[in-house]
Amino acid sequence: MIEVQNLTKTYGSGELEVKVLRSIDLKIDSGEFVAVTGPSGAGKSTLLYQLSLLDEPSSGEVFLDSIKTSELSQVQKTAMRLNMLGYVFQDYALLPELTALENVALLMLMQGHSREAAYKQAEGALARVGLSDRMHNLPSQLSGGQQQRVSIARAIAHHPTILFADEPTANLDSTNGHVVMQAFLDLHKNGQTIVMITHEDDYAKYAQRVINLKDGQIIEDSKVA
Amino acid sequence: MKSLPKLLKEYVFGFRVGWFLAVRQIRRSSKWTTALIIFIMVLTFLNLVVVSGLLLGLISGSFEQFRESHSGEVIVTSAPGRDYIENSPGLVSFLESHSQVKAFSPRYQTSGTILGTLTSLPRSNERPNQMGAAIKGLDPEKEALVTNFASSVTQGGMLDGDESGYMLIGANLLKKYSSFADANIPGLDLLADVDVGSRVRVTVTSKGGGTLIVKEFIVKGIVKSKVDEISTRVFVTGADLKSLLSINKEHFQEIAIRTEPSYAEALVADINGFMGSSAARTQTSLDAIPQFLRDIESTMGVLGNALSSIALVVASITIFIVIYINAVTKRKLIGIMKGVGISPAAVQFSYLIQAIFYGLSGSLVGLLLTFGVLEPYFKNNPIDFPFSDGILVVTPAGAAIRVAILIFVTIIAGYLPAKLIVRKNTLDSILGR
């Protein structure tokens, strides 16, 4: 599903060069729920950006579904993000002028679905995260936990092959954090491949596999019991 | 290389999502912000239309007054070097039978001197209180059917066709009322102490030549207008002037004709066809206006266009800034949209549609204000300029062209900032770098 070979990411050059990722090799199978952990500055988010095609590695290769992503154009990458990948951002990243339903339906509209089909699919996704009764609310009318669940619904509504989540619980209290993690767990049980960044062990435990990064290198890659 | 149908499909989906986003962003954004942007667009539109419209209106106002108070749509005058319109009775009959002629007012005209002080003789070193002027004889009833000349009577009353021995005198001939009274122009001696009720003495030369004819008139009213043909003339009834000049035939010097403005050119051709072009000078109202005034109109047009161009530049910068700020404040969201797979084209479309919405709304409100408020207002309350009553000149076609220009500028000014923001690196936008 995801294969990373000798992935390196460097910022700056010369004396100011900072190696954020150092020769990462990694393989994630279909249906896995992987948590990437590590202290601040370990390179967790940078790794996620490379895997999710939001950034380009300095060297090395990322294969998604056996596709060599370095050979894709920006337009092809955008299309791949639209059709294959799903994203959950730390700060929800919902469009404030769109209702929960509209936020979720947006990607399906972009895919070319009819308004009715997109809304129906969005309603289904919102129902899966327990927000059927809030679908016509604007983000400003929802709590942080509810907004993050809308964000999850948006990420899964178009049935992505891989779901990426960048510290999805960072802005939530403990109760809402566990609600969101439960949502991820439910998705995983239905076969969804998930790659999640977190720096909190409590939430990492929801995953079936934890990859621990430090100074841009994988120092531990273990299955959760 | 993408196939055309695939590219087209992407743009169609992009436009659909752009529309979806734009409609909701407009509908759910701050009402005050939307109102402010539309207000700016209204001002921009008015700047485009009203400034040039008023500049043109300064001159067009005088054209309109010339037509309304003096010439009618068509005016026939004596041919150059001739004393009167040849075959005047024939022309009158022709006009009476012409289906497109609504009314006409034949006028006599001669020149003479007006003596303002009859009771005492000037001292040896003083010039007499008199001045030369063109004297027109008209039929008040016929004149009322062609022009609004009667409304130029600002003091006293209008002439009556049944009475004799009365005159109207142009305000610019009188020291008391003339705009030039305090100008001390060499050679310009205005009549002093003449007002409504004054008795004046008119001296003209008989048509045969040589003989001086003198008659006294009572000033019945003062006529004041921005049209020189009124404010620097003396008016008596046609019957009075005809008897003064001992004319037996209807030898008119001027005939003002009322017809449909759209038929004016054709009527000139009809009259020329009937009379022959050498028998009289037949002109539309516009052609009868002095060339220098038309030159001023052209200059005002150029000036108006120059000011409009500046207004357009200001408008485009305004729209650019509005859209740019709007896009910059949403840079992170734009990055996220791109990140999750929304095409850059869709985001650009959304900003473009918003820009067009603001441009159209501003133009629509501007049109309503222009045609519903400003144009009628300036028509009823013209700007008082020394040589004309300034109105607002704006035509539906002219306004439509300006709307099109404004929308075009809006599209360019809306597209560029959206493009600038959208082309930024997606991750940099998401991370706010």
Side-chain angles (χ1 to χ4, degrees), chain A residues 17 34 40 74 87 102 112 184 186 195 211:
Chain A
E17 186 180 274
V34 178
S40 291
Q74 283 303 325
Y87 296 84
E102 289 162 349
F184 279 117
D186 292 342
V195 180
I211 295 171

Side-chain angles (χ1 to χ4, degrees), chain A residues 31-91:
Chain A
E32 270 195 297
F33 182 1
V34 178
V36 180
T37 63
S40 291
K44 307 184 293 291
S45 293
T46 306
L47 176 62
L48 187 88
Y49 300 147
Q50 317 307 309
L51 300 184
S52 60
L53 307 184
L54 289 174
D55 201 2
E56 288 175 14
S58 304
S59 64
E61 282 296 344
V62 175
F63 294 87
L64 295 181
D65 221 9
S66 304
I67 298 168
K68 194 175 183 181
T69 59
S70 63
E71 291 175 350
L72 297 176
S73 67
Q74 283 303 325
V75 176
Q76 286 170 318
K77 283 181 182 173
T78 302
M80 199 165 184
R81 289 200 296 266
L82 175 67
N83 297 310
M84 269 186 69
L85 311 181
Y87 296 84
V88 178
F89 294 94
Q90 186 176 325
D91 54 359

Side-chain angles (χ1 to χ4, degrees), chain A residues 49 54-55 75 81-82 87 89 91 93-99 102 106-107 109-110 112-113 115 119, chain B residues 2 13-14 16-17 20-21 24-25 28 330 332-333 336-343 346 426-427 431:
Chain A
Y49 300 147
L54 289 174
D55 201 2
V75 176
R81 289 200 296 266
L82 175 67
Y87 296 84
F89 294 94
D91 54 359
L94 300 174
L95 298 179
E97 295 94 356
L98 269 54
T99 64
E102 289 162 349
L106 194 61
L107 293 190
L109 290 172
M110 191 69 230
H113 293 278
R115 174 84 63 92
Y119 275 29
Chain B
K2 285 184 179 179
F13 292 161
R16 204 162 66 117
V17 171
F20 182 85
L21 288 169
R24 281 148 188 84
Q25 281 173 351
R28 291 173 188 150
K330 290 179 177 167
K332 183 180 169 72
L333 287 174
I336 286 164
M337 279 197 276
K338 282 167 62 189
V340 298
I342 303 297
S343 72
T426 303
L427 189 59
L431 299 177

Side-chain angles (χ1 to χ4, degrees), chain B residues 321-363:
Chain B
I321 291 171
V322 166
I323 297 292
Y324 189 76
I325 290 173
N326 194 8
V328 161
T329 54
K330 290 179 177 167
R331 195 180 143 206
K332 183 180 169 72
L333 287 174
I334 289 172
I336 286 164
M337 279 197 276
K338 282 167 62 189
V340 298
I342 303 297
S343 72
V347 181
Q348 282 168 31
F349 274 134
S350 80
Y351 282 96
L352 206 55
I353 291 164
Q354 287 179 70
I356 292 170
F357 167 78
Y358 293 132
L360 273 177
S361 302
S363 300

Side-chain angles (χ1 to χ4, degrees), chain B residues 108-119:
Chain B
Y108 296 101
Q109 183 173 321
T110 189
S111 57
T113 54
I114 318 295
L115 181 65
T117 306
L118 308 184
T119 51

Side-chain angles (χ1 to χ4, degrees), chain B residues 108-185:
Chain B
Y108 296 101
Q109 183 173 321
T110 189
S111 57
T113 54
I114 318 295
L115 181 65
T117 306
L118 308 184
T119 51
S120 59
L121 292 171
R123 279 178 277 182
S124 58
N125 61 344
E126 280 183 354
R127 283 192 295 232
N129 180 26
Q130 72 175 30
M131 73 181 299
I135 304 164
K136 290 194 177 192
L138 48 82
D139 180 332
E141 287 175 11
K142 287 184 177 174
E143 189 67 32
L145 296 174
V146 179
T147 70
N148 60 10
F149 171 78
S151 66
S152 302
V153 180
T154 55
Q155 306 286 327
M158 177 61 181
L159 294 172
D160 187 331
D162 296 333
E163 60 190 13
S164 175
Y166 291 96
M167 71 155 56
L168 301 175
I169 190 161
N172 278 351
L173 299 175
L174 305 177
K175 197 165 266 181
K176 184 177 178 184
Y177 296 105
S178 173
S179 321
F180 307 106
D182 56 354
N184 196 21
I185 300 168

Side-chain angles (χ1 to χ4, degrees), chain A residues 116-189:
Chain A
E116 293 71 27
Y119 275 29
K120 198 175 173 188
Q121 219 166 309
E123 283 171 10
L126 284 165
R128 285 174 74 186
V129 296
L131 281 177
S132 292
D133 56 337
R134 295 285 185 181
M135 61 176 73
H136 297 297
N137 287 59
L138 292 171
S140 58
Q141 297 165 328
L142 299 172
S143 70
Q146 288 170 330
Q147 287 187 59
Q148 193 57 294
R149 281 190 280 158
V150 174
S151 176
I152 294 168
R154 178 178 66 183
I156 61 169
H158 59 301
H159 306 301
T161 314
I162 309 162
L163 176 61
F164 293 101
D166 185 7
E167 306 229 26
T169 54
N171 289 337
L172 302 177
D173 59 29
S174 171
T175 311
N176 277 311
H178 285 288
V179 169
V180 165
M181 290 315 301
Q182 191 56 51
F184 279 117
L185 203 55
D186 292 342
L187 289 169
H188 168 58
K189 283 176 182 166

